[in-house]
Amino acid sequence: MPSQKTQVAIIGSGPSGLTLAQLLDGAGVESVVLERRSRDYVQGRVRAGVIEQGTVEILRRAGVAARLEREGLKHHGVEIAAGERRYRIDFAAQSASLTVYGQTELTKDLMEARDASGVPPIFEVDEVVLENIEGDRPRVRYLRHGEPHTLDCDFIAGCDGYHGVSRRSIPASVLTTHERVYPFGWLGVLADVPPVSPELVYASHERGFALCSMRSATRSRCYLQCDLDTDLAKWSDERFWDELASRLPAELAARVVRAPVLEKSVAPLRSFVAEPLRYGRLFLAGDAAHIVPPTGAKGLNLAVRDVDQLAAALAAHYAERRDELLDAYSAAALRRIWRAERFSAWLTSVLHCFPGRTSFDRGMQLAELDHLVSSAAARAAFVETYTGL
Ligand code: FAD
Ligand code: PHB
């Protein structure tokens, strides 16, 4: 049976697993990334788009920010619409900015960096099992093309997303989970049409929430709040654009360009936190540990911050034989994670149409938005959290 050894076994080659491998490489720590899917599948997944400045700095340290800094779109404000009303929230007063750059592109950059390091992820692994995580020498067993393999290591980083095996390897008696499942999802499309506005538009409307985002000056990424049982076959491109236009203020609706859609998918919305993030020699990071509804654009940013903290802790273990950072990882990361959960759940509740919403509930939503745009203190607090200052 083929067997291999490494210092850190990383499960999952999403943004958290790949960034962790890069950061560990920079600190002289060896790792091997195991991924269930194929390279093409991982690179083709259309997901996040908004990158905080702090995340850019971590990616720069990881040696993967050059193209992002060249091609990413720097944003200095965001728009919130409610019915016909439009408000712009300016980041400039706080010298804040965000970079719009697709997760697909970031994944490509990370994969190329892993290839250049000479240790690319091992794709298409199956039946991954984590063994002896309570002991000193954990082992990962997996199948590849039907053949059994083992990977011996000092630590395991569970970066395998919400449906991965890592979190499920922690005994139920140890793990506590906290969850809110929303009664709607997001129907997202990608299309080669110019964005309706140079900045992102979050629209709260009687018909439901809509978001106009982008990937470039000629490519839009748009979302509609939708039912959880949405049948994509019933959403022709025409229907999507009509519904989007109906949820935007007239001035923006007039700028919706109807073109064939390149990708269409539905994502359910969920808030989720697992704790603790450590069990023996297993550490959870990214979506394996927590999920935020995409409204706040925090998921990928949280994932990168988690692995930055974990990489520093592992580096201290190897370089200085100091384990305080490893011991502190779970509590320190959870504090940051809960703050992002708070913001994401709040923004979701203010912008979406919940089943059974009363006119009073709508009045409260509009008052929240009114407070946000008319109070300098509320705006400053929003910018601080949304941009991740
Ligand atoms: P993932 O990206 O889920 O990667 C986990 C990897 O592990 C996957 O490749 C998976 O195949 C692999 N895996 C799973 N099980 C196993 C196994 N048993 N063995 C081996 N490998 C396994 N975030 C933002 O910050 N900004 C945004 O604007 C934003 N927009 C979003 C829009 C949408 C529609 C969605 C769905 C998400 C959005 N997010 C956003 C969230 C962001 O995409 C995720 O938080 C991010 O992908 C998390 O990265 P990760 O590496 O932790 O997990
Ligand atoms: C995206 O561009 O995909 C995007 C932007 C902002 C969000 C979520 C997703 O809040």
Side-chain angles (χ1 to χ4, degrees):
M1 182 188 331
S3 61
Q4 213 183 334
K5 268 194 186 134
T6 190
Q7 290 176 310
V8 182
I10 301 176
I11 317 297
S13 77
S16 54
L18 293 172
T19 305
L20 178 61
Q22 276 299 110
L23 290 167
L24 289 178
D25 217 1
V29 178
E30 268 177 34
S31 69
V32 170
V33 179
L34 299 177
E35 166 61 49
R36 187 163 60 101
R37 302 281 193 166
S38 69
R39 177 186 285 253
D40 284 349
Y41 181 91
V42 174
Q43 286 192 356
R45 246 178 339 213
V46 182
R47 285 166 109 185
V50 175
I51 317 258
E52 296 170 358
Q53 198 48 42
T55 305
V56 175
E57 279 154 26
I58 296 167
L59 295 171
R60 197 184 297 139
R61 244 191 296 121
V64 291
R67 193 161 71 95
L68 182 156
E69 291 188 284
R70 215 168 46 238
E71 296 177 13
L73 307 170
K74 264 262 165 98
H75 283 205
H76 301 280
V78 66
E79 186 170 326
I80 296 187
E84 282 305 316
R85 272 168 293 172
R86 296 177 61 183
Y87 312 101
R88 178 171 186 272
I89 298 177
D90 192 359
F91 306 157
Q94 283 150 278
S95 310
S97 66
L98 285 169
T99 303
V100 176
Y101 189 71
Q103 181 169 330
T104 324
E105 300 308 309
L106 176 60
T107 304
K108 237 181 256 170
D109 299 341
L110 283 161
M111 292 274 191
E112 274 172 25
R114 294 318 299 145
D115 289 343
S117 76
V119 199
I122 301 174
F123 293 97
E124 298 176 52
V125 304
D126 210 3
E127 296 185 25
V128 172
V129 179
L130 313 186
E131 289 181 350
N132 198 27
I133 36 185
E134 299 95 338
D136 284 349
R137 289 299 295 168
R139 167 174 281 188
V140 183
R141 283 184 192 281
Y142 62 95
L143 295 183
R144 185 144 196 278
H145 303 150
E147 194 188 352
H149 291 252
T150 60
L151 175 61
D152 290 314
C153 55
D154 301 330
F155 297 99
I156 300 175
C159 299
D160 47 355
Y162 181 69
H163 299 286
V165 66
S166 300
R167 193 182 62 251
R168 284 185 278 116
S169 304
I170 301 179
S173 58
V174 176
L175 194 74
T176 306
T177 60
H178 313 272
E179 184 170 45
R180 174 183 293 171
V181 177
Y182 297 85
F184 43 73
W186 279 17
L187 170 59
V189 308
L190 188 70
D192 278 331
V193 292
V196 294
S197 166
E199 290 174 346
L200 268 65
V201 181
Y202 288 81
S204 170
H205 192 275
E206 297 291 344
R207 295 179 65 84
F209 169 76
L211 168 59
C212 297
S213 181
M214 66 202 70
R215 292 294 177 265
S216 71
T218 57
R219 180 168 282 192
S220 291
R221 175 74 171 151
C222 302
Y223 300 95
L224 292 175
Q225 177 184 345
C226 65
D227 290 338
L228 283 171
D229 61 359
T230 291
D231 178 3
L232 284 179
K234 294 195 178 133
W235 279 86
S236 65
D237 297 353
E238 202 56 30
R239 180 176 175 202
F240 184 89
W241 297 121
D242 286 346
E243 185 61 34
L244 179 66
S246 77
R247 297 184 189 186
L248 296 176
E251 215 182 320
L252 292 174
R255 284 194 232 140
V256 171
V257 180
R258 288 158 172 79
V261 160
L262 306 171
E263 194 262 358
K264 201 182 277 159
S265 55
V266 175
L269 265 66
R270 184 190 302 276
S271 294
F272 173 86
V273 180
E275 50 188 332
L277 303 181
R278 174 190 190 167
Y279 178 64
R281 290 188 164 242
L282 167 66
F283 292 83
L284 301 180
D287 279 15
H290 45 76
I291 296 285
V292 284
T295 326
K298 292 275 165 240
L300 184 147
N301 292 292
L302 272 181
V304 171
R305 287 189 195 237
D306 289 352
V307 295
D308 185 42
Q309 213 167 329
L310 183 55
L314 289 166
H317 168 87
Y318 287 107
E320 304 160 38
R321 293 281 143 202
R322 276 178 39 224
D323 284 348
E324 306 97 80
L325 293 177
L326 281 176
D327 293 339
Y329 170 74
S330 180
L334 280 165
R335 245 190 104 194
R336 178 173 43 72
I337 289 160
W338 275 111
R339 291 209 308 272
E341 293 285 349
R342 180 198 72 84
F343 177 73
S344 306
W346 169 77
L347 196 57
T348 302
S349 75
V350 171
L351 294 174
H352 289 75
C353 178
F354 285 72
R357 182 175 69 178
T358 63
S359 59
F360 182 81
D361 297 333
R362 183 62 178 153
M364 294 298 281
Q365 285 185 321
L366 295 175
E368 277 283 345
L369 293 176
D370 199 25
H371 172 64
L372 172 62
V373 296
S374 49
S375 152
R379 272 197 316 271
F382 175 90
V383 171
E384 189 179 287
T385 316
Y386 181 65
T387 66
L389 274 183

